[in-house]
Amino acid sequence: MRKGYMPWLFLLPALAILLALTIYPTVYCWRLSFYSLNFAKPWKTAFVGLANFVEAFQDPLFLISLNNTLFLVLMSTLGSVLLGYTIALLLDKGNVGWMVTPFVLPMVIPAVVTGLIWLLLYSPAYGISDYFFHKVGIDNPPQWIGDKRMALFSIAIVDMWRNTPFVILLMFAGLRAIPRSYYEVAQMEGSSYLQTLRHIIIPALKPLLMIAVLFRITDSYKIFDLIYVLTRGGPGDATETLTYHTYLQGFFFLEAGKAATSSIIILLIATVLATSVIRTTRWKI
Amino acid sequence: MERKKRQRSTLFLYARWIRRKRLVVKGICIILLAVSLFPIYWIIQTSVKPETLIMSNVPQFVFNPVSKHYNYLFTSRQNFPRFLANSLIIAFSTGICTVVVGSLAAYGFARYKFKGSSPILFWMLTLRMVPPVAFSVPIYMIMQSLNLIDTHLAVTWTHLIYTLPLGIWVMINFFSNLPVELEQAAMVDGCSVLGSLWRITIPLSFPGLVAVFILSFIASLNEFLFALILTFVRAKTMPIALVTFVSTHMVNWGGMAAGCVITILPAILVCIIAQKYLLTGLTAGAMK
């Protein structure tokens, strides 16, 4: 009765949808990255082999976007993990578990709306921060998205605001899973809060922390909407990350070949990240 | 006598100190929550503020609410209700497709152990880690050659890339928890495989189906990149329409705020109504 092809029948619709729009584009991308196609000058298409890749690593704009991506990912991940960890600890210590749900609210808001909200908050004329800076006496308030050096940091702040709830959720669930008896034994042995933290809480949360860090890295790697809405690549190229660079190459400069090259590089990095996530989650569970 | 009195008062002071500490921590938590939710409060407040107050240098907190911006949204020439409808149509189709196709596929994964199941499953998880930008150029060219630019079908199809993996993952979870004996009993009684699926498994895993529908619906409503590159006029969605409020010359903050609030509404409503499902779904990818 159990025919060998049964499971494949069930998978067929899902696989058809996904393969058509993921494997085929990836193969197409590979092919495209070896050509120098420009949508506006299709007659000039030529096979250039690896020249696109070599050019990419010599292109200062590409290297800047790599730099920006690294910076953004590091800052956003560190910030949201540290903040989320602390807030989860506070929520657990203060016994206010019901607060987790309101904290989750920033996460369910679409990225575009988040970007627009912060566009309003960050705007030099109508935002609120400038007023308070002037009141305190600082006459040169930071231009959150107008300043070349601040812009990437401001985007990291928005991404942190948006994704810290994820870390809070994970850490809080982990904290609630620690048996209360551990705390009782620790208290009987006379340990202070800091010692409890170091010897009980941190080791117990290590697997969840790894998961949180890896998911944050892959999530902040994907950021696009925020950059599009807040800075369109930033003053000059200050906030042009790898993803935004690819978008610009493909849909603004119409350089399909270069965009495909960027896409392949993005895919390679993403595969490395995904493999590390899968390896970690498989072992820790 | 004196020593006893000192010991008792120390214990009392210690208990009071613990209670105070807990109150302080609770206070800090409430302050953090207020700071974290402040931007949301600000945008809701901006959407009912008269324009002159929005533009003022000093941030205004107390004023008389005005519905001018919402009126503008619904009566302006650009026809925002159409964009909202587009968003809802696409989100609904994505949700239904994910539930139907996803639960079929999840059934295949959960009930049959076959050679390709592990790699395919992990490939699906990998898909979520790739920035959508990497697929954007080829997908645009595919849609163009299929003549599907600016249609709802194209956008729904691309959204499925991101909702199907999560939907399948969640449903596999659900199906694995259902005992196989139920379906086997139904098949002994004469049901076909599909019949038992339809009559037994689906009704029992209804909460899972609802969770998957809700998650896919919200994800599709909020998606930006593919809606941006695949649509122009006919199938434009709400997130794209919102961005058009911000041009290089003039920004209609009030209208934008009203649009934002309308776009946020489904997500917040769902968050309140389905808290339980949402927490399971959001951490399903991480915990499983």
Side-chain angles (χ1 to χ4, degrees), chain A residues 10-11 14 21-22 24 28 90 94 99 108-110 112 121 126 128 131 161 169 218 222 224-225 243 263 267 274 285, chain B residues 25-26 30 36 38 42 55 59 101 104-105 109 123 126 128-130 133-134 141-142 157 222 224-225 253 267 279 287:
Chain A
F10 282 110
L11 294 189
L21 236 40
T22 54
Y24 182 62
Y28 197 90
L90 278 174
M99 269 202 206
V108 299
I109 299 181
V112 200
L121 287 173
Y126 315 120
I128 54 164
Y131 174 68
W161 180 81
L169 264 181
T218 49
K222 290 202 288 190
F224 177 80
D225 315 9
T243 46
S263 304
L267 279 172
I285 298 179
Chain B
V25 174
K26 279 194 186 164
I30 294 191
S36 160
F38 176 74
W42 188 250
M55 309 283 212
V101 173
L104 270 181
F109 277 116
W123 165 68
T126 313
R128 295 205 83 212
M129 314 251 172
V130 178
V133 190
M141 296 172 81
I142 295 176
W157 196 0
N222 301 345
F224 183 69
L225 175 66
W253 292 114
L279 290 183
M287 300 278 259

Short mmCIF file of all heavy atoms in Angstrom, two decimals, chain A residues 10-11 14 21-22 24 28 90 94 99 108-110 112 121 126 128 131 161 169 218 222 224-225 243 263 267 274 285, chain B residues 25-26 30 36 38 42 55 59 101 104-105 109 123 126 128-130 133-134 141-142 157 222 224-225 253 267 279 287:
data_model
loop_
_atom_site.label_atom_id
_atom_site.label_comp_id
_atom_site.label_asym_id
_atom_site.label_seq_id
_atom_site.Cartn_x
_atom_site.Cartn_y
_atom_site.Cartn_z
N PHE A 10 2.84 14.52 -2.17
CA PHE A 10 2.45 15.55 -1.22
C PHE A 10 3.33 16.77 -1.32
O PHE A 10 2.90 17.90 -1.12
CB PHE A 10 2.51 15.00 0.21
CG PHE A 10 1.34 14.15 0.59
CD1 PHE A 10 1.49 12.79 0.76
CD2 PHE A 10 0.09 14.72 0.75
CE1 PHE A 10 0.40 12.01 1.10
CE2 PHE A 10 -1.00 13.95 1.09
CZ PHE A 10 -0.85 12.58 1.26
N LEU A 11 4.59 16.52 -1.65
CA LEU A 11 5.53 17.65 -1.68
C LEU A 11 5.45 18.42 -2.98
O LEU A 11 5.96 19.51 -3.08
CB LEU A 11 6.95 17.15 -1.50
CG LEU A 11 7.31 16.53 -0.17
CD1 LEU A 11 8.80 16.30 -0.13
CD2 LEU A 11 6.93 17.46 0.96
N ALA A 14 4.38 22.28 -3.23
CA ALA A 14 5.30 23.17 -2.52
C ALA A 14 6.63 23.26 -3.26
O ALA A 14 7.19 24.34 -3.46
CB ALA A 14 5.51 22.67 -1.10
N LEU A 21 11.14 29.45 -8.16
CA LEU A 21 11.48 30.82 -7.83
C LEU A 21 12.74 30.93 -6.99
O LEU A 21 13.10 32.03 -6.57
CB LEU A 21 10.32 31.46 -7.07
CG LEU A 21 9.78 32.75 -7.70
CD1 LEU A 21 9.74 32.67 -9.20
CD2 LEU A 21 8.41 33.04 -7.16
N THR A 22 13.42 29.81 -6.71
CA THR A 22 14.66 29.94 -5.96
C THR A 22 15.82 29.26 -6.66
O THR A 22 16.86 29.87 -6.87
CB THR A 22 14.53 29.34 -4.55
OG1 THR A 22 14.09 28.00 -4.67
CG2 THR A 22 13.56 30.12 -3.72
N TYR A 24 15.91 28.07 -9.83
CA TYR A 24 16.06 28.59 -11.18
C TYR A 24 16.69 29.98 -11.17
O TYR A 24 17.65 30.22 -11.92
CB TYR A 24 14.69 28.58 -11.89
CG TYR A 24 14.76 29.07 -13.31
CD1 TYR A 24 15.52 28.39 -14.25
CD2 TYR A 24 14.10 30.22 -13.71
CE1 TYR A 24 15.61 28.84 -15.55
CE2 TYR A 24 14.17 30.67 -15.00
CZ TYR A 24 14.93 29.98 -15.92
OH TYR A 24 15.01 30.44 -17.20
N TYR A 28 20.23 31.00 -12.80
CA TYR A 28 20.22 32.13 -13.73
C TYR A 28 21.23 33.19 -13.30
O TYR A 28 21.94 33.78 -14.10
CB TYR A 28 18.81 32.71 -13.76
CG TYR A 28 18.52 33.59 -14.92
CD1 TYR A 28 18.02 33.08 -16.10
CD2 TYR A 28 18.74 34.96 -14.84
CE1 TYR A 28 17.75 33.89 -17.16
CE2 TYR A 28 18.47 35.78 -15.90
CZ TYR A 28 17.97 35.25 -17.06
OH TYR A 28 17.71 36.06 -18.12
N LEU A 90 15.87 41.47 33.82
CA LEU A 90 15.08 42.40 34.63
C LEU A 90 13.64 41.93 34.75
O LEU A 90 13.04 41.95 35.82
CB LEU A 90 15.12 43.80 34.02
CG LEU A 90 16.35 44.63 34.34
CD1 LEU A 90 16.33 45.92 33.54
CD2 LEU A 90 16.40 44.95 35.82
N GLY A 94 11.93 40.98 38.24
CA GLY A 94 10.82 41.76 38.75
C GLY A 94 9.51 41.01 38.68
O GLY A 94 8.47 41.52 39.07
N MET A 99 4.62 41.41 30.85
CA MET A 99 5.13 42.51 30.04
C MET A 99 5.76 42.03 28.75
O MET A 99 6.06 42.84 27.88
CB MET A 99 6.18 43.28 30.84
CG MET A 99 5.63 44.40 31.63
SD MET A 99 6.93 45.56 31.97
CE MET A 99 6.30 46.28 33.46
N VAL A 108 6.27 43.15 15.43
CA VAL A 108 5.24 42.80 14.47
C VAL A 108 4.92 43.95 13.53
O VAL A 108 4.15 43.79 12.59
CB VAL A 108 3.94 42.34 15.16
CG1 VAL A 108 4.21 41.13 16.00
CG2 VAL A 108 3.34 43.45 15.96
N ILE A 109 5.49 45.12 13.76
CA ILE A 109 5.22 46.24 12.87
C ILE A 109 6.04 46.07 11.60
O ILE A 109 7.22 45.73 11.68
CB ILE A 109 5.61 47.55 13.57
CG1 ILE A 109 4.76 47.73 14.81
CG2 ILE A 109 5.44 48.72 12.66
CD1 ILE A 109 5.06 49.01 15.52
N PRO A 110 5.43 46.31 10.43
CA PRO A 110 6.20 46.15 9.19
C PRO A 110 7.44 47.02 9.21
O PRO A 110 7.46 48.10 9.77
CB PRO A 110 5.24 46.60 8.09
CG PRO A 110 4.04 47.08 8.75
CD PRO A 110 4.03 46.69 10.17
N VAL A 112 8.80 48.74 6.92
CA VAL A 112 8.64 50.04 6.27
C VAL A 112 8.06 51.05 7.24
O VAL A 112 8.52 52.19 7.34
CB VAL A 112 7.68 49.94 5.07
CG1 VAL A 112 7.90 51.09 4.16
CG2 VAL A 112 7.87 48.64 4.37
N LEU A 121 10.90 60.64 13.71
CA LEU A 121 11.59 60.92 14.97
C LEU A 121 12.98 61.48 14.75
O LEU A 121 13.47 62.29 15.52
CB LEU A 121 11.68 59.64 15.82
CG LEU A 121 10.39 59.18 16.44
CD1 LEU A 121 10.59 57.84 17.10
CD2 LEU A 121 9.91 60.18 17.47
N TYR A 126 11.35 68.25 12.57
CA TYR A 126 10.12 67.85 13.25
C TYR A 126 10.33 66.74 14.25
O TYR A 126 9.40 66.30 14.88
CB TYR A 126 9.07 67.41 12.22
CG TYR A 126 8.99 68.34 11.05
CD1 TYR A 126 9.24 67.91 9.77
CD2 TYR A 126 8.70 69.69 11.25
CE1 TYR A 126 9.18 68.78 8.71
CE2 TYR A 126 8.65 70.56 10.19
CZ TYR A 126 8.88 70.11 8.92
OH TYR A 126 8.83 70.97 7.88
N ILE A 128 11.85 64.87 17.70
CA ILE A 128 11.75 65.36 19.07
C ILE A 128 13.12 65.49 19.72
O ILE A 128 13.28 66.22 20.68
CB ILE A 128 10.89 64.41 19.91
CG1 ILE A 128 11.46 63.00 19.80
CG2 ILE A 128 9.47 64.44 19.47
CD1 ILE A 128 10.91 62.13 20.87
N TYR A 131 14.79 69.11 19.93
CA TYR A 131 14.24 70.05 20.91
C TYR A 131 14.87 69.82 22.28
O TYR A 131 15.29 70.76 22.94
CB TYR A 131 12.73 69.87 20.96
CG TYR A 131 12.07 70.67 22.04
CD1 TYR A 131 12.03 72.06 21.97
CD2 TYR A 131 11.49 70.05 23.13
CE1 TYR A 131 11.44 72.80 22.95
CE2 TYR A 131 10.89 70.79 24.12
CZ TYR A 131 10.86 72.16 24.03
OH TYR A 131 10.27 72.89 25.01
N TRP A 161 15.89 48.46 17.95
CA TRP A 161 14.55 48.68 18.51
C TRP A 161 13.59 47.62 18.01
O TRP A 161 12.75 47.10 18.74
CB TRP A 161 14.07 50.07 18.12
CG TRP A 161 12.72 50.42 18.63
CD1 TRP A 161 12.42 50.87 19.89
CD2 TRP A 161 11.48 50.36 17.92
NE1 TRP A 161 11.06 51.09 20.00
CE2 TRP A 161 10.47 50.80 18.80
CE3 TRP A 161 11.13 49.99 16.62
CZ2 TRP A 161 9.15 50.87 18.43
CZ3 TRP A 161 9.80 50.06 16.26
CH2 TRP A 161 8.82 50.49 17.16
N LEU A 169 12.26 37.53 24.05
CA LEU A 169 11.40 36.35 24.05
C LEU A 169 12.20 35.10 24.35
O LEU A 169 11.87 34.31 25.24
CB LEU A 169 10.75 36.19 22.68
CG LEU A 169 9.36 36.73 22.47
CD1 LEU A 169 8.93 36.43 21.06
CD2 LEU A 169 8.38 36.10 23.43
N THR A 218 21.81 36.75 10.98
CA THR A 218 21.19 36.54 9.67
C THR A 218 20.08 37.56 9.42
O THR A 218 19.88 37.99 8.30
CB THR A 218 20.60 35.13 9.55
OG1 THR A 218 19.82 34.86 10.71
CG2 THR A 218 21.69 34.10 9.47
N LYS A 222 19.93 40.84 6.41
CA LYS A 222 18.91 40.99 5.38
C LYS A 222 18.34 42.40 5.28
O LYS A 222 17.53 42.65 4.40
CB LYS A 222 17.72 40.05 5.68
CG LYS A 222 18.04 38.61 5.49
CD LYS A 222 16.79 37.80 5.25
CE LYS A 222 15.98 37.66 6.50
NZ LYS A 222 14.89 36.68 6.29
N PHE A 224 16.90 45.71 4.41
CA PHE A 224 16.80 46.50 3.18
C PHE A 224 15.79 47.62 3.34
O PHE A 224 16.08 48.77 3.02
CB PHE A 224 16.38 45.58 2.03
CG PHE A 224 16.18 46.33 0.76
CD1 PHE A 224 17.24 46.69 -0.02
CD2 PHE A 224 14.91 46.72 0.37
CE1 PHE A 224 17.07 47.41 -1.18
CE2 PHE A 224 14.72 47.45 -0.81
CZ PHE A 224 15.81 47.78 -1.58
N ASP A 225 14.60 47.26 3.85
CA ASP A 225 13.51 48.24 3.94
C ASP A 225 13.93 49.48 4.72
O ASP A 225 13.63 50.60 4.33
CB ASP A 225 12.30 47.60 4.63
CG ASP A 225 12.00 46.22 4.11
OD1 ASP A 225 12.81 45.68 3.35
OD2 ASP A 225 10.95 45.68 4.46
N THR A 243 23.20 44.45 0.45
CA THR A 243 21.89 44.26 -0.14
C THR A 243 21.44 45.50 -0.90
O THR A 243 20.93 45.42 -2.02
CB THR A 243 20.84 43.95 0.94
OG1 THR A 243 21.02 44.87 2.01
CG2 THR A 243 21.00 42.55 1.46
N SER A 263 24.73 39.44 -6.09
CA SER A 263 23.78 38.47 -5.55
C SER A 263 24.46 37.17 -5.21
O SER A 263 24.19 36.57 -4.17
CB SER A 263 22.66 38.19 -6.55
OG SER A 263 22.03 39.37 -6.91
N LEU A 267 24.64 35.35 -1.65
CA LEU A 267 24.19 33.99 -1.43
C LEU A 267 25.25 33.15 -0.74
O LEU A 267 24.95 32.36 0.15
CB LEU A 267 23.80 33.33 -2.77
CG LEU A 267 22.42 33.68 -3.29
CD1 LEU A 267 22.24 33.15 -4.69
CD2 LEU A 267 21.37 33.08 -2.38
N ALA A 274 23.87 30.25 7.21
CA ALA A 274 22.82 29.26 7.42
C ALA A 274 23.40 27.95 7.94
O ALA A 274 22.84 27.32 8.84
CB ALA A 274 22.05 29.03 6.14
N ILE A 285 20.03 20.97 20.58
CA ILE A 285 18.69 20.47 20.91
C ILE A 285 18.67 18.97 20.77
O ILE A 285 18.52 18.26 21.72
CB ILE A 285 17.61 21.06 19.97
CG1 ILE A 285 17.59 22.57 20.16
CG2 ILE A 285 16.27 20.46 20.31
CD1 ILE A 285 16.61 23.25 19.27
N VAL B 25 12.89 47.23 40.60
CA VAL B 25 13.07 46.51 39.33
C VAL B 25 11.81 46.63 38.48
O VAL B 25 11.87 46.87 37.27
CB VAL B 25 13.40 45.03 39.58
CG1 VAL B 25 13.42 44.26 38.28
CG2 VAL B 25 14.74 44.91 40.28
N LYS B 26 10.64 46.49 39.13
CA LYS B 26 9.38 46.62 38.38
C LYS B 26 9.28 48.00 37.77
O LYS B 26 8.84 48.16 36.62
CB LYS B 26 8.18 46.37 39.30
CG LYS B 26 7.90 44.93 39.52
CD LYS B 26 6.53 44.69 40.15
CE LYS B 26 6.42 43.20 40.47
NZ LYS B 26 5.35 42.88 41.38
N ILE B 30 8.88 49.04 33.81
CA ILE B 30 7.81 49.84 33.25
C ILE B 30 8.39 51.01 32.45
O ILE B 30 7.88 51.34 31.37
CB ILE B 30 6.86 50.34 34.35
CG1 ILE B 30 6.15 49.13 34.96
CG2 ILE B 30 5.88 51.34 33.81
CD1 ILE B 30 5.02 49.49 35.86
N SER B 36 10.26 51.89 25.06
CA SER B 36 10.23 51.03 23.89
C SER B 36 8.98 51.28 23.05
O SER B 36 9.01 51.23 21.82
CB SER B 36 10.29 49.57 24.34
OG SER B 36 9.83 48.74 23.34
N PHE B 38 7.30 54.08 22.95
CA PHE B 38 7.10 55.49 22.66
C PHE B 38 6.95 55.78 21.18
O PHE B 38 6.05 56.51 20.79
CB PHE B 38 8.24 56.33 23.26
CG PHE B 38 8.14 57.77 22.90
CD1 PHE B 38 7.18 58.58 23.50
CD2 PHE B 38 8.96 58.34 21.94
CE1 PHE B 38 7.06 59.91 23.18
CE2 PHE B 38 8.84 59.67 21.60
CZ PHE B 38 7.90 60.46 22.22
N TRP B 42 3.93 57.69 19.41
CA TRP B 42 4.17 58.96 18.72
C TRP B 42 3.50 58.98 17.35
O TRP B 42 2.92 59.98 16.93
CB TRP B 42 5.68 59.18 18.59
CG TRP B 42 6.04 60.53 18.08
CD1 TRP B 42 6.57 60.84 16.85
CD2 TRP B 42 5.89 61.77 18.76
NE1 TRP B 42 6.75 62.18 16.73
CE2 TRP B 42 6.34 62.78 17.89
CE3 TRP B 42 5.41 62.13 20.02
CZ2 TRP B 42 6.35 64.12 18.24
CZ3 TRP B 42 5.41 63.47 20.36
CH2 TRP B 42 5.88 64.45 19.48
N MET B 55 4.26 70.32 12.51
CA MET B 55 5.43 71.01 11.97
C MET B 55 6.16 71.85 13.00
O MET B 55 7.20 72.38 12.71
CB MET B 55 5.01 71.94 10.81
CG MET B 55 4.18 71.27 9.78
SD MET B 55 5.21 70.24 8.72
CE MET B 55 4.31 70.38 7.22
N PRO B 59 7.85 69.74 20.39
CA PRO B 59 6.93 68.61 20.28
C PRO B 59 5.72 68.80 21.18
O PRO B 59 5.85 69.15 22.34
CB PRO B 59 7.77 67.41 20.75
CG PRO B 59 8.91 67.98 21.46
CD PRO B 59 9.15 69.34 20.94
N VAL B 101 -0.95 24.42 0.49
CA VAL B 101 0.25 23.77 -0.03
C VAL B 101 1.16 23.33 1.10
O VAL B 101 1.72 22.23 1.08
CB VAL B 101 1.00 24.73 -0.98
CG1 VAL B 101 2.32 24.15 -1.38
CG2 VAL B 101 0.15 25.03 -2.18
N LEU B 104 -0.09 20.18 3.00
CA LEU B 104 0.13 18.99 2.18
C LEU B 104 1.58 18.53 2.28
O LEU B 104 1.88 17.37 2.55
CB LEU B 104 -0.19 19.29 0.71
CG LEU B 104 -1.62 19.06 0.24
CD1 LEU B 104 -1.72 19.39 -1.23
CD2 LEU B 104 -2.04 17.64 0.48
N ALA B 105 2.48 19.48 2.06
CA ALA B 105 3.91 19.15 2.10
C ALA B 105 4.32 18.68 3.49
O ALA B 105 5.06 17.71 3.64
CB ALA B 105 4.74 20.36 1.67
N PHE B 109 6.17 15.23 4.80
CA PHE B 109 7.38 15.14 5.60
C PHE B 109 7.14 14.38 6.90
O PHE B 109 7.98 13.62 7.36
CB PHE B 109 7.87 16.54 5.96
CG PHE B 109 8.70 17.17 4.88
CD1 PHE B 109 8.27 18.31 4.25
CD2 PHE B 109 9.91 16.62 4.51
CE1 PHE B 109 9.04 18.90 3.26
CE2 PHE B 109 10.67 17.20 3.53
CZ PHE B 109 10.23 18.34 2.90
N TRP B 123 17.17 22.80 3.37
CA TRP B 123 17.26 23.79 2.31
C TRP B 123 16.18 24.84 2.47
O TRP B 123 16.40 26.03 2.26
CB TRP B 123 17.13 23.08 0.96
CG TRP B 123 16.87 23.99 -0.17
CD1 TRP B 123 17.73 24.92 -0.69
CD2 TRP B 123 15.68 24.10 -0.93
NE1 TRP B 123 17.13 25.59 -1.73
CE2 TRP B 123 15.87 25.11 -1.89
CE3 TRP B 123 14.45 23.43 -0.89
CZ2 TRP B 123 14.90 25.46 -2.81
CZ3 TRP B 123 13.48 23.79 -1.81
CH2 TRP B 123 13.71 24.79 -2.76
N THR B 126 17.18 27.24 5.03
CA THR B 126 18.22 28.13 4.50
C THR B 126 17.62 29.28 3.71
O THR B 126 18.13 30.39 3.73
CB THR B 126 19.17 27.34 3.58
OG1 THR B 126 19.53 26.15 4.22
CG2 THR B 126 20.39 28.15 3.26
N ARG B 128 15.17 31.07 4.25
CA ARG B 128 14.79 32.24 5.04
C ARG B 128 15.98 33.11 5.40
O ARG B 128 15.82 34.24 5.80
CB ARG B 128 14.13 31.78 6.34
CG ARG B 128 12.85 31.07 6.13
CD ARG B 128 12.00 31.18 7.34
NE ARG B 128 11.28 32.43 7.36
CZ ARG B 128 10.95 33.09 8.46
NH1 ARG B 128 11.31 32.60 9.62
NH2 ARG B 128 10.28 34.19 8.39
N MET B 129 17.19 32.55 5.27
CA MET B 129 18.36 33.32 5.69
C MET B 129 18.89 34.18 4.57
O MET B 129 19.78 35.00 4.79
CB MET B 129 19.46 32.36 6.13
CG MET B 129 18.97 31.29 7.01
SD MET B 129 19.55 31.55 8.62
CE MET B 129 18.66 30.30 9.48
N VAL B 130 18.39 33.94 3.35
CA VAL B 130 18.93 34.68 2.22
C VAL B 130 18.21 36.00 2.09
O VAL B 130 16.99 36.04 2.11
CB VAL B 130 18.75 33.86 0.92
CG1 VAL B 130 19.26 34.65 -0.25
CG2 VAL B 130 19.44 32.54 1.05
N VAL B 133 17.01 40.31 -1.77
CA VAL B 133 17.66 41.04 -2.85
C VAL B 133 18.40 40.11 -3.79
O VAL B 133 18.47 40.36 -4.99
CB VAL B 133 18.65 42.07 -2.28
CG1 VAL B 133 19.14 42.98 -3.35
CG2 VAL B 133 17.99 42.85 -1.19
N ALA B 134 18.93 39.02 -3.24
CA ALA B 134 19.74 38.13 -4.06
C ALA B 134 18.92 37.53 -5.19
O ALA B 134 19.44 37.23 -6.25
CB ALA B 134 20.34 37.02 -3.20
N MET B 141 13.25 39.30 -14.00
CA MET B 141 13.33 38.92 -15.40
C MET B 141 12.37 37.77 -15.71
O MET B 141 11.77 37.73 -16.79
CB MET B 141 14.78 38.55 -15.75
CG MET B 141 15.69 39.75 -15.61
SD MET B 141 17.42 39.37 -15.78
CE MET B 141 17.57 39.33 -17.54
N ILE B 142 12.22 36.84 -14.76
CA ILE B 142 11.27 35.75 -14.97
C ILE B 142 9.86 36.30 -15.11
O ILE B 142 9.12 35.94 -16.03
CB ILE B 142 11.32 34.75 -13.81
CG1 ILE B 142 12.67 34.06 -13.77
CG2 ILE B 142 10.21 33.73 -13.92
CD1 ILE B 142 12.81 33.14 -12.60
N TRP B 157 3.17 34.94 -5.43
CA TRP B 157 4.13 33.86 -5.67
C TRP B 157 5.45 34.13 -4.96
O TRP B 157 6.00 33.26 -4.30
CB TRP B 157 4.35 33.75 -7.17
CG TRP B 157 4.98 32.49 -7.62
CD1 TRP B 157 5.39 31.44 -6.87
CD2 TRP B 157 5.30 32.17 -8.96
NE1 TRP B 157 5.95 30.47 -7.66
CE2 TRP B 157 5.91 30.90 -8.94
CE3 TRP B 157 5.13 32.83 -10.18
CZ2 TRP B 157 6.34 30.28 -10.10
CZ3 TRP B 157 5.57 32.21 -11.32
CH2 TRP B 157 6.17 30.95 -11.28
N ASN B 222 3.39 42.87 5.22
CA ASN B 222 4.51 43.74 5.55
C ASN B 222 5.63 43.72 4.53
O ASN B 222 6.56 44.50 4.64
CB ASN B 222 5.10 43.33 6.90
CG ASN B 222 4.07 43.40 7.99
OD1 ASN B 222 3.02 44.01 7.81
ND2 ASN B 222 4.36 42.79 9.11
N PHE B 224 8.13 44.18 1.49
CA PHE B 224 8.40 45.43 0.81
C PHE B 224 9.14 45.25 -0.51
O PHE B 224 8.71 45.76 -1.54
CB PHE B 224 9.21 46.34 1.74
CG PHE B 224 9.50 47.68 1.17
CD1 PHE B 224 8.48 48.59 0.99
CD2 PHE B 224 10.78 48.03 0.80
CE1 PHE B 224 8.75 49.84 0.46
CE2 PHE B 224 11.04 49.27 0.27
CZ PHE B 224 10.03 50.18 0.10
N LEU B 225 10.27 44.55 -0.51
CA LEU B 225 11.14 44.57 -1.68
C LEU B 225 10.44 44.08 -2.95
O LEU B 225 10.44 44.75 -3.97
CB LEU B 225 12.38 43.71 -1.43
CG LEU B 225 13.28 43.59 -2.65
CD1 LEU B 225 13.88 44.93 -3.00
CD2 LEU B 225 14.39 42.59 -2.41
N TRP B 253 3.52 64.49 6.55
CA TRP B 253 3.68 63.68 7.74
C TRP B 253 2.36 63.14 8.25
O TRP B 253 2.24 62.00 8.65
CB TRP B 253 4.35 64.47 8.85
CG TRP B 253 5.78 64.82 8.58
CD1 TRP B 253 6.29 66.07 8.38
CD2 TRP B 253 6.88 63.93 8.48
NE1 TRP B 253 7.63 66.00 8.16
CE2 TRP B 253 8.02 64.70 8.22
CE3 TRP B 253 7.02 62.54 8.59
CZ2 TRP B 253 9.29 64.14 8.06
CZ3 TRP B 253 8.28 61.99 8.42
CH2 TRP B 253 9.40 62.79 8.17
N ALA B 267 -1.66 44.02 12.23
CA ALA B 267 -0.64 43.34 13.01
C ALA B 267 -0.93 43.45 14.50
O ALA B 267 -0.83 42.48 15.24
CB ALA B 267 0.74 43.92 12.70
N LEU B 279 3.41 33.60 19.85
CA LEU B 279 4.67 33.28 20.52
C LEU B 279 5.20 31.93 20.06
O LEU B 279 6.38 31.75 19.86
CB LEU B 279 4.47 33.28 22.05
CG LEU B 279 4.22 34.66 22.63
CD1 LEU B 279 4.11 34.61 24.14
CD2 LEU B 279 5.36 35.58 22.24
N MET B 287 13.38 27.50 18.27
CA MET B 287 13.42 26.49 19.32
C MET B 287 13.45 25.09 18.79
O MET B 287 13.95 24.18 19.41
CB MET B 287 12.20 26.63 20.25
CG MET B 287 12.14 27.96 20.91
SD MET B 287 13.19 27.99 22.34
CE MET B 287 12.00 27.76 23.63
#
